[in-house]
Amino acid sequence: MQIFLARNNVQAGPYNLEQLNIMLASGEVVLDDLMWHEGLEQWQRVGTLTNNQTVYTPAPVNGTEVNDSIINNVTIFPEDNASGNQTDKPVSLDRLYGKPERKDTANNTKVDMTTNRHHTPHHNVSLNKTQLNKAATNQDKVVGDVVLAPIMSRVLATAINGLLYLLAIFPLGMALTKMDVDYSKFQNIQDMDAAYQYSMTLMESLPSSTLMMSQIMVFGLFALQLVFIALRGQSLGKLITGIRVVDQTTHRLPSFTKLIGMRTLLLFIIYNLLFSFTSFLGFVVVAVHYYMASKSPENIGWHDKLAKTLVVKADSSQLTKKPTLK
């Protein structure tokens, strides 16, 4: 049996039944993709044919004639058809799913059996195009239906958030500059209790109006950040730079636990501890995160590994819940 798959105006195949089931089990093929093989009158959703299971057991086909007229308007890539004649060329799932093409794995002993398929152009499919191509550029990394946020956009968002925090504590900082502060008391990591007591003494020495204004600004900023993160997956910095945090699997807003618990509050505590010990250590950990992201195919740093999230270019479709398959 020759099985064809289609997604985003592109088809790939043929695959055999064993290959299809391997791809279903690994998640490379999802239930919302389209599938066609001999015996089907039209392209159908994979989940409809598998009864929403990740294994396909087709009904026996008894010599049903293939009707090519039901399939049309496929996207043919120019580099695959330079001569104008349709020939069998390898089409990988990377191409089908809009991902960057991986290098030829012919000399690699661990070849993924799903990455080297043949394109059969006379079987075509017409699908509604997504807005992905509008958002992506040649330099962008694409994963499924999302465009990964550039590393520099993420760095800029972090810098904006840091600047907003500095603005919030500006009245407090100005008041402290007028006082004789012994900063050496904050550098002794082994005596944090003394540093805490000294900081409390400083706070008591500040004018109550200055302290209240600083508290209102800091807590107001923190509350505003939490609201935007919970509702949109964006801190104010990410909102300004047009990027968003999404779940690695669903590419929609992560669960509240991941978004607020793991990626916001936990990171807030970690970085506050690091910067309280020494500002240098905090900046090193931030730098390590972005270095890891720059070396990852999906721009995943240790923040993302911890919360199982991706940072992507913001799109309104990411705010809608994915329909539950019944």
Side-chain angles (χ1 to χ4, degrees):
M1 172 183 290
Q2 292 187 329
I3 300 171
F4 297 85
L5 297 171
R7 186 179 188 183
N8 293 343
N9 263 15
V10 183
Q11 77 158 54
Y15 313 133
N16 61 38
L17 182 59
E18 181 183 4
Q19 291 168 334
L20 172 65
N21 284 329
I22 290 174
M23 292 186 288
L24 278 169
S26 67
E28 289 184 273
V29 172
V30 297
L31 300 181
D32 284 334
D33 294 333
L34 297 183
M35 180 168 68
W36 181 90
H37 60 73
E38 185 177 2
L40 297 179
E41 294 184 357
Q42 60 185 359
W43 287 82
Q44 295 189 39
R45 180 176 162 276
V46 173
T48 301
L49 294 171
T50 66
N51 196 26
N52 292 329
Q53 303 299 313
T54 55
V55 62
Y56 181 44
T57 307
V61 178
N62 297 319
T64 305
E65 183 178 354
V66 179
N67 182 1
D68 290 339
S69 65
I70 62 174
I71 323 167
N72 48 62
N73 298 333
V74 71
T75 298
I76 303 297
F77 291 90
E79 62 269 30
D80 293 340
N81 194 17
S83 66
N85 296 321
Q86 296 175 345
T87 58
D88 288 342
K89 298 287 288 183
V91 174
S92 70
L93 283 182
D94 291 336
R95 176 70 63 85
L96 175 62
Y97 284 28
K99 299 180 182 179
E101 288 280 1
R102 286 173 281 190
K103 294 181 180 180
D104 184 16
T105 56
N107 296 324
N108 192 333
T109 57
K110 295 182 178 180
V111 177
D112 180 356
M113 67 183 298
T114 66
T115 60
N116 227 3
R117 309 310 168 115
H118 291 289
H119 181 51
T120 307
H122 64 274
H123 295 290
N124 305 318
V125 61
S126 177
L127 300 173
N128 292 326
K129 292 184 177 181
T130 66
Q131 300 299 315
L132 184 60
N133 292 335
K134 295 182 180 179
T137 65
N138 291 335
Q139 290 75 33
D140 285 326
K141 295 181 182 179
V142 179
V143 176
D145 58 351
V146 295
V147 182
L148 296 180
I151 298 298
M152 289 310 300
S153 294
R154 298 173 61 174
V155 173
L156 179 59
T158 300
I160 291 173
N161 286 330
L163 178 61
L164 291 174
Y165 179 74
L166 290 177
L167 291 175
I169 64 172
F170 182 75
L172 179 62
M174 290 299 296
L176 289 174
T177 58
K178 299 177 182 179
M179 301 175 62
D180 185 16
V181 180
D182 183 4
Y183 291 100
S184 64
K185 291 186 179 294
F186 298 103
Q187 297 174 356
N188 187 359
I189 298 176
Q190 296 179 349
D191 195 2
M192 295 302 297
D193 184 61
Y196 175 76
Q197 294 298 331
Y198 183 65
S199 65
M200 289 298 98
T201 302
L202 290 176
M203 293 299 103
E204 291 172 358
S205 303
L206 291 172
S208 58
S209 59
T210 300
L211 191 59
M212 181 177 295
M213 181 184 298
S214 296
Q215 289 174 339
I216 291 174
M217 292 180 67
V218 170
F219 284 110
L221 175 63
F222 189 65
L224 193 61
Q225 292 277 38
L226 283 180
V227 169
F228 274 93
I229 291 171
L231 297 181
R232 301 182 59 86
Q234 296 171 296
S235 63
L236 293 177
K238 287 183 172 62
L239 181 66
I240 293 171
T241 54
I243 60 179
R244 169 179 289 123
V245 175
V246 298
D247 188 274
Q248 285 184 11
T249 303
T250 65
H251 294 172
R252 299 295 193 274
L253 284 186
S255 66
F256 186 85
T257 302
K258 284 184 179 181
L259 195 57
I260 301 299
M262 298 294 292
R263 195 177 171 96
T264 303
L265 296 180
L266 181 59
L267 290 180
F268 180 79
I269 294 172
I270 290 173
Y271 280 113
N272 265 277
L273 290 174
L274 291 173
F275 280 100
S276 66
F277 289 148
T278 167
S279 59
F280 175 78
L281 182 59
F283 284 116
V284 167
V285 175
V286 172
V288 168
H289 167 67
Y290 287 120
Y291 177 78
M292 288 177 60
S294 67
K295 297 300 181 181
S296 166
E298 296 183 342
N299 290 0
I300 293 177
W302 72 267
H303 296 179
D304 311 296
K305 285 182 178 293
L306 183 67
K308 293 183 171 54
T309 56
L310 294 174
V311 181
V312 302
K313 287 189 175 182
D315 185 271
S316 59
S317 64
Q318 296 151 2
L319 297 176
T320 60
K321 290 186 178 181
K322 212 165 188 179
T324 303
L325 302 177
K326 297 181 179 179

